[in-house]
């Protein structure tokens, strides 16, 4: 038996450790440990409700648009108003571009390096100048001895990585994926420009407000946004999708590893102003059974979180009272529960729920991929299922953008107006790229009396609930084969497939602690 602490989990956003108990070469138990407390929810209290639009976006630089939209919808619900059509569509367009940015970071710049061998660069003999520049850079910055990276300089972007016989062997496939890594940097920049075309800047857009957005959809704005769509679409359909397929072909075991089968989605991209009709469907799925969503079943539990706050509270009553030395607690994340059940959120949740709800485009894409791998639907509930779901989403989203642009009323009003009431309660639900994101506000004397964000990474990386039942990532790790406890890459692959963002999940840094037999960075 070996207790393995992966601390930190690198190539994610924020500070996460995973402790696993390995028995007979497999993960027998797991603990997901969020290492930072930031106290954002407490910062909002006592402020003007309108500050929420800007302050909540500072929770994270990767998904600020979803926080901006969740806070806008939360205020609308407290103020008793709805967005207008232009406002809703412009929000969708901003969120859509932010999704492309986020999914490309995740695959190329965070997760792909679990599969792609960057030392293949040293064997490259082709004529692509970008690849040769990269090769020269790796040769000068990274010392490789007998195929293993021997040392590195600070800031080397492909590192750290586990050294071993873990990666794609075919040199051409590796080189192609590394070229994708470089190209994806440019694609991300273009997606950012699309967000900025509407939101004024990216990340942290200034144009998201209750009632809609501040930017009137002028022809110039639309032209600026539109000009990047074609190139992104080509990259997603011809490069990103193929790299996901190449990884899946080489690492087919991961259709069975990292499985979790209960899901939640609030519904992605509002297709009406009533929060009822979505591009990807709202719902809760237990395996292949999908149910309607009911927000009153949401609670956050803190038995194992470092909080003295009451446990199992609905977010309007939620508290964020830190208790760093709390006995038995092992993380700064709370444990969200739906009807007392832990649920996975994110691209796989959205794709599964949409598939089960009869979404034709999702069905076509999922069935198309399953056919390539001669697999049935059970393969979807897996590490590779998460990567495939992200690529499917990116493909469907980039294809929908031109249609949404055509629905805009050019030069029309971008928002509805409102008055801040003396008192009110509101809820704003949105799908962030990592999954279901909810904001809840209580307004008193025209000020924020309470503000709670229940975010995607808290859903999937949260700890055991009050009943001791493990969170989704903890459960998904169980049974993962670990070939070498000193290089637990298999566990890292499972965790990274969820795309954790601990900056979002814990809204005082702890001192060092010693747990377990091996510390592996
Ligand atoms: Ni910091 Fe976030 C997303 C949100 S994840 S990235 O997507 O909301 O908890
Ligand atoms: Mg919270």
């Amino acid at each position: 038996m070996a207790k393995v602490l992966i601390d930190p989990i690198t190539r994610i956003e924020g500070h996460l450790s995973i402790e696993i108990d390995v028995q007979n070469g497999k993960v027998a138990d797991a603990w997901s440990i969020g290492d930072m407390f930031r106290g954002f929810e407490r910062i909002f209290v006592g402020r003007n409700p309108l500050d929420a639009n800007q302050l909540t976006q500072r929770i994270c630089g990767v998904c600020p648009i979803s926080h901006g939209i969740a806070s806008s919808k939360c205020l609308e619900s407290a103020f008793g108003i709805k967005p207008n059509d232009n406002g809703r569509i412009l929000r969708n367009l901003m969120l859509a571009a932010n999704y492309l940015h986020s999914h490309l970071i995740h695959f190329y710049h965070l997760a792909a390096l679990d599969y792609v061998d960057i030392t293949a660069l040293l064997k490259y003999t082709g004529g692509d100048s970008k690849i040769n520049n990269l090769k020269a850079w790796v040769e000068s910055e990274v010392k490789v001895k007998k195929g293993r990276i021997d040392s590195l300089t600070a800031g080397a972007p492909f590192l750290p990585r586990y050294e071993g016989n873990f990666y794609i062997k075919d040199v051409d496939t590796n080189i192609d994926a590394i070229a994708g890594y470089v190209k994806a940097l440019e694609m991300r920049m273009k997606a950012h420009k699309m967000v900025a075309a509407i939101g004024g800047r990216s990340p942290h857009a200034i144009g998201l407000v209750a009632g809609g957005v501040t930017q009137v959809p002028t022809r110039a704005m639309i032209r600026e946004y539109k000009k990047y769509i074609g190139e992104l679409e080509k990259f997603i359909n011809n490069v990103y999708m193929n790299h996901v397929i190449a990884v899946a072909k080489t690492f087919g075991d991961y259709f069975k590893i990292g499985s979790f089968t209960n899901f939640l989605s609030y519904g992605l991209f509002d297709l009406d102003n009533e929060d009822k009709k979505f591009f990807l469907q709202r719902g809760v799925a237990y395996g292949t059974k999908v149910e309607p969503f009911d927000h009153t079943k949401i609670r956050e539990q803190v038995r194992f979180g470092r909080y003295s706050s009451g446990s199992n509270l609905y977010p309007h009553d939620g508290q964020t009272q830190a208790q760093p030395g709390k006995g038995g607690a092992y993380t700064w994340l709370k444990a969200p529960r739906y009807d007392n059940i832990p649920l996975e959120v994110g691209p796989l949740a959205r794709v599964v729920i949409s598939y089960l709800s009869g979404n034709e485009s999702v069905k076509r894409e999922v069935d198309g991929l399953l056919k390539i791998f001669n697999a049935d639907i059970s393969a979807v509930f897996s590490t590779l299922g998460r990567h495939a779901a992200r690529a499917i989403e990116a493909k469907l989203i980039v294809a929908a953008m031109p249609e949404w642009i055509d629905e805009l009323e050019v030069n029309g009003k971008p928002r509805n107006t409102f008055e801040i009431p003396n008192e009110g309660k509101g809820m704003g639900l949105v799908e962030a790229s990592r999954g279901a994101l909810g904001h809840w506000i209580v307004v008193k004397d025209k000020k924020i009396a309470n503000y709670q964000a229940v975010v995607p990474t808290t859903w999937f990386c949260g700890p055991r609930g009050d009943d001791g039942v493990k969170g989704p990532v903890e459960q998904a790790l169980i049974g993962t084969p670990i070939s070498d406890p000193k290089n637990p890459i298999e566990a890292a692959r499972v965790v990274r497939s969820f795309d954790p963002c601990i900056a979002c999940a814990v809204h005082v840094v702890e001192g060092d602690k010693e747990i377990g037999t091996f510390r592996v960075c």
Side-chain angles (χ1 to χ4, degrees), residues 444-466:
K444 277 200 184 123
D445 301 325
K446 295 188 190 289
K447 295 269 190 320
I448 298 175
N450 194 13
Y451 203 100
Q452 290 283 310
V454 182
V455 307
T457 298
T458 322
W459 277 101
F460 59 73
C461 268
R464 285 143 171 81
D466 289 354

Side-chain angles (χ1 to χ4, degrees), residues 13 60 62-63 66-67 432-435 437 455-458 501 503-505:
E13 289 92 25
C60 180
V62 185
C63 63
S66 30
H67 284 290
S433 49
R434 280 157 200 77
L437 169 66
V455 307
T457 298
T458 322
C501 174
C504 271

